[in-house]
Amino acid sequence: AIAAAQVGAAALPTPTGASPRHLQPATMGMKYCAAYLMAVLAGNDSPSPGDLQKILESVEAEYDSSIAEKLVSELEGKTVHEVVAAGKEKLKGF
């Protein structure tokens, strides 16, 4: 599945003169969210940046501490259920 995702990402068209790196920030952020949710599903209600680092490095993904720290600080004091419920409310208007 990982190889298929990598092939799919490599096959995306790029604007003239642009490299695939212009797509990187959005996809980079999602892996941090996924790692956070995996930690919560594993029973850690308040994952730390170090927890995210362990998860991401276990699959040989790059890790940027500033992204992990920002995500953890934004979610501090909130439960995943609250965040998901708030997101669902925002999507009702679409």
Side-chain angles (χ1 to χ4, degrees):
I2 293 174
Q6 290 171 342
V7 170
L12 291 173
T14 58
T16 305
S19 69
R21 295 190 79 49
H22 77 281
L23 299 173
Q24 196 171 17
T27 56
M28 293 282 291
M30 289 306 296
K31 72 180 177 184
Y32 293 89
C33 294
Y36 189 94
L37 291 172
M38 289 174 68
V40 170
L41 286 172
N44 183 350
D45 291 332
S46 185
S48 69
D51 296 325
L52 304 184
Q53 182 177 11
K54 286 179 189 176
I55 292 168
L56 292 173
E57 288 180 349
S58 75
V59 294
E60 298 180 9
E62 291 181 21
Y63 174 79
D64 182 333
S65 62
S66 64
I67 296 171
E69 289 167 7
K70 177 155 178 59
L71 176 66
V72 170
S73 71
E74 292 288 329
L75 295 174
E76 189 174 347
K78 300 175 186 173
T79 67
V80 170
H81 306 307
E82 292 171 342
V83 174
V84 170
K88 283 178 134 178
E89 284 298 315
K90 289 179 182 178
L91 292 175
K92 283 185 179 180
F94 285 100

